[in-house]
Every structure is written in C-alpha cells, then in structure tokens.
C-alpha cells in the first residue's frame, strides 16, 4: 500500500470513503509512539476503512520563547513511518490552508481546566490546541480520532470539547509508549544530550516510585480489610499467624500518611534528588489529579487519578504521567494488561497538532 500525501482539504474530501475513517493528529517528527497510534487506528478502521495521519505544526499553541522555529520538520521520514504503520493518507496542510486569512479571530476556549498545570505553565496553549483540533476534525471528518495518553490533560480537554460542543466523533486514548529505559517517547527527546537524557529519566522514575508507593498503600488497606469476620475463622487463621498479620496491616495502614500524600512524597523524593544532578532537573510541577477536571485529589479520594509531572532539563521541557486507581483492589499488572479499548470514549467524553509529540 502506498500512502498518499495530501496538501489540501479538497484533496482529502475528494477521496472515496469506504468504512470508517480513523484520524491520528500529529505535529510530525513521527516516532514509535505515533506508529502505535497509527496501528491502533488501523485496527479500529478495519481493512475496509481509512486511516489518515495529519502533520501540522500549529503556531497557535506555541507561546513566546517556545520552540516553534526549531520544532523538527521531517515530512519525508514521517510519510515512511505512517506508511509502515498502516496509514492510507498523510494530510499535511500549510498554515494558510488551516488558517486562511491569518490567525482565527474566533477560537475555542479551554475554560478552567485549561488554566491548570500545563495551562498555567503555558498560557493560551490549550486554547490554541483545541482550536486546531476542532478545525482538523472538521477538515478530516473522521468517525474516530486517536490521541496519546502521554498528553493526559490535552486528551481530557479534547474529550470535554467533543462532549460539550456535540462533535460527532469517537475519541480514543492510547497508552503511553516508553523507551527501554522508561523515558516516554517524545519528539523533543532528540534535543537531549547524553547527560541531559540521564537526568530526564527522573521524570519516569518519579512516576514509577509514586506508583510503587501507591501499590504498597493499596495492598496494606486491602490486607487490613481481610481481618476475619467470624470467631471460628479467626481461630483457624490465628493458628497460621494470619490474624496477627491482618491486625498489623490495619495498624500500619492507619499510621502511614494518606494515600495521595504518600504517592506525592515518593515521587517528590526522586525529583528532589534529580535537582542536584549535573545537569539538574528543574521541576515545573508534580501533581496528583482527578482526570475529570485536573484538580488535586485529597487523601479520601477514590477512583481514577493521574500522577503528572513536567520539568526542564537544559533547554528542553518534558512531560509525563501515569494513571492510578485509588480505593480498588486492582493491581498495577491488571491495569497494564488492559487494552486501549477501555480508554476510549464515544461522543462524551505523544501531542496532537495538538496531539502527539
């Protein structure tokens, strides 16, 4: 199969559509994270459907002093990667094609969620991202659009926009792809020198430390709930030492810090150590948030949460996150075994052009 390169919306609209159209939005400089999104899109579209990859570096979402001019443009290599992953077409419009007549006067506003974390660090970023995502959804007219979980706040805002503004499209989130050393795949990784990359590993290491502390805390709480309910069972387990073990677990669970505080502390310890490295890691934020609105969770929180981090190493700014479930008995292994189907949302919901970086 040869992947078509399309430059205008008219060229895209002229294509005969059969089956579902799945779209993956990118800013180019494609890597294995993007390829994973494209392969997932291929599976969703099926052999009779169509996969379109957009490549567009969106000027609206770059603030003053950010890396718009040096953001990598590698269209020829991008087409090859898209083709190998199963894309039918690459839609790579010019700025004039997306914004005829200049920057749009009417834009999508991200609202309160867009002012937190990434939005606080990069004012106006999410307004620009949602505006171009909305335009590209209209231009490509997909049945389903896929985005990486690495940009968790972006994904949450796209889902919210689709739900609040009644876009007729299914939004699917695809889990983060990592390199062998744990670093989340990003087009910006290529900016890192060897020493900077070693420091940058602290982002994923901090998340993993928080995840491990969370798992230990959840295990303690689950063990504490298993104190025998009847005298006969208590006597039987006591002979094995199980009753005492359960009581000890209950005591430890009561004595340890709240679950959310413990997770934050474990992750913060890794980041504080990285701040003393050479070159140092400059932390932007570490947050443990409710994915519905990206506000910080408390120690009594139950349900799905996101542990998110952003930092600079040298001149490069990187982000990463992990999903965590509070108040459940689900293990980390169980969570990792889930398929991306469980992260999708229909009509309600690595960077997009917007999307995958």
């Amino acid at each position: 199969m040869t992947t078509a390169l399309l430059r205008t919306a008219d060229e895209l609209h002229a294509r005969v559509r059969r089956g579902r159209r799945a779209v993956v939005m990118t800013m180019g400089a494609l890597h294995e994270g993007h390829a994973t999104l494209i392969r997932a899109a291929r599976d969703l579209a099926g052999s009779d459907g169509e996969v379109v990859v957009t490549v567009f570096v969106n000027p609206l979402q770059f603030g003053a002093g950010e890396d718009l001019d040096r953001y990598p443009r590698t269209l020829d290599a991008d087409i090859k990667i898209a083709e190998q992953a199963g894309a039918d077409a690459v839609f790579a419009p010019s700025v004039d094609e997306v914004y005829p007549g200049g920057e749009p006067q009417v834009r999508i506003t991200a609202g309160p969620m867009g002012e937190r974390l990434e939005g606080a660090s990069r004012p106006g970023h999410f307004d620009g991202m949602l505006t171009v995502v909305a335009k590209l959804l209209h231009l490509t007219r997909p049945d389903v659009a896929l985005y990486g979980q690495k940009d968790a706040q972006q994904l949450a805002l796209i889902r919210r926009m689709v739900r609040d503004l009644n876009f007729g499209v299914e939004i699917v989130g695809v889990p983060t792809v990592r390199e062998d050393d744990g670093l989340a795949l990003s087009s910006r990784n290529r900016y890192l020198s060897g020493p900077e990359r070693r420091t940058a590993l602290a982002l994923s290491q901090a998340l993993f430390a928080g995840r491990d502390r969370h798992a230990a805390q959840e295990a303690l709480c689950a063990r504490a709930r298993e104190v025998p309910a009847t005298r006969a069972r208590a006597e039987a387990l006591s002979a094995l030492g199980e009753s005492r073990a359960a009581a000890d677990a209950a005591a430890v669970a009561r004595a340890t810090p709240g679950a959310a505080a413990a997770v934050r502390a474990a992750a913060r310890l890794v980041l504080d150590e990285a701040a003393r490295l050479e070159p140092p890691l400059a932390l932007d934020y570490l947050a443990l948030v409710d994915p519905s609105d990206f506000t910080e969770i408390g120690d009594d929180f139950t349900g799905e949460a996101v542990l998110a981090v952003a930092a600079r190493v040298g001149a490069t700014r990187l982000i990463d996150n992990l999903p965590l479930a509070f108040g459940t008995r689900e293990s980390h292994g169980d969570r990792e075994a889930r398929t991306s189907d469980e992260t999708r949302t229909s009509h309600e919901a690595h960077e997009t052009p917007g999307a995958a970086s």
Side-chain angles (χ1 to χ4, degrees), residues 12-13 17 21 23 136-144 169:
L12 181 58
H13 298 164
R17 294 184 61 163
R21 174 177 285 173
V23 165
L136 288 174
L137 287 174
H138 289 314
L139 290 171
T140 59
R141 302 173 184 174
D143 300 289
V144 57
V169 62

Side-chain angles (χ1 to χ4, degrees), residues 64-321:
E66 293 189 334
D67 57 356
L68 173 61
D69 290 337
R70 72 175 187 138
Y71 197 88
R73 275 85 165 170
T74 57
L75 183 58
D76 290 341
D78 294 342
I79 294 171
K80 291 179 181 178
I81 291 173
E83 184 170 279
Q84 291 168 357
D88 297 288
V90 169
F91 177 50
S94 66
V95 173
D96 288 340
E97 178 72 13
V98 177
Y99 301 122
E103 293 189 0
Q105 296 185 35
V106 177
R107 307 187 186 194
I108 302 290
T109 300
M113 195 196 313
E115 298 172 357
R116 299 172 186 136
L117 300 188
E118 283 298 289
S121 299
R122 306 173 67 188
H125 166 73
F126 284 126
D127 291 355
M129 179 277 294
L130 289 179
T131 297
V132 79
V133 167
K135 286 186 70 75
L136 288 174
L137 287 174
H138 289 314
L139 290 171
T140 59
R141 302 173 184 174
D143 300 289
V144 57
L146 296 87
Y147 304 90
Q149 178 63 38
K150 184 178 80 71
D151 299 284
Q153 190 172 4
Q154 172 179 271
L155 175 59
L157 283 163
I158 292 171
R159 284 174 166 159
R160 187 77 193 202
M161 176 183 74
V162 165
R163 183 180 69 186
D164 287 354
L165 302 184
N166 299 102
F167 280 68
V169 62
E170 178 184 359
I171 302 298
V172 173
V174 177
T176 300
V177 178
R178 299 184 179 278
E179 300 195 38
D180 291 341
D181 57 11
L183 189 67
L185 282 174
S186 170
S187 301
R188 291 183 171 88
N189 291 353
R190 68 185 66 194
Y191 299 152
L192 298 170
S193 67
E196 288 173 342
R197 183 186 174 88
R198 287 192 289 274
T199 296
L201 291 176
L203 273 77
S204 57
Q205 290 167 352
L207 296 178
F208 298 155
R211 177 198 65 194
D212 293 345
R213 186 68 188 89
H214 166 264
Q217 196 91 355
E218 290 286 309
L220 275 175
C221 292
R223 188 70 187 88
R225 289 193 293 266
E226 293 174 2
V227 176
T230 67
R231 181 180 180 84
R233 186 163 182 263
E235 291 174 349
L237 289 177
S238 182
L240 299 174
E242 288 293 307
S243 182
R244 175 59 184 273
D248 288 347
V252 172
R254 287 193 297 271
T256 53
V263 169
R264 292 186 184 97
R268 172 72 68 166
L269 184 62
V270 176
L271 297 169
D272 288 345
E273 291 175 353
R276 296 188 287 271
L277 297 176
E278 184 56 45
L281 181 142
L283 182 65
D284 190 343
Y285 62 76
L286 171 70
L288 184 56
V289 298
D290 182 339
S292 68
D293 58 9
F294 271 70
T295 57
E296 292 279 354
I297 67 169
D299 286 330
D300 59 348
F301 179 86
T302 58
E304 297 292 323
V306 173
L307 180 61
V309 63
R312 286 189 181 275
V313 183
T316 304
R317 187 175 185 276
L318 300 170
I319 64 172
D320 201 352
N321 71 85

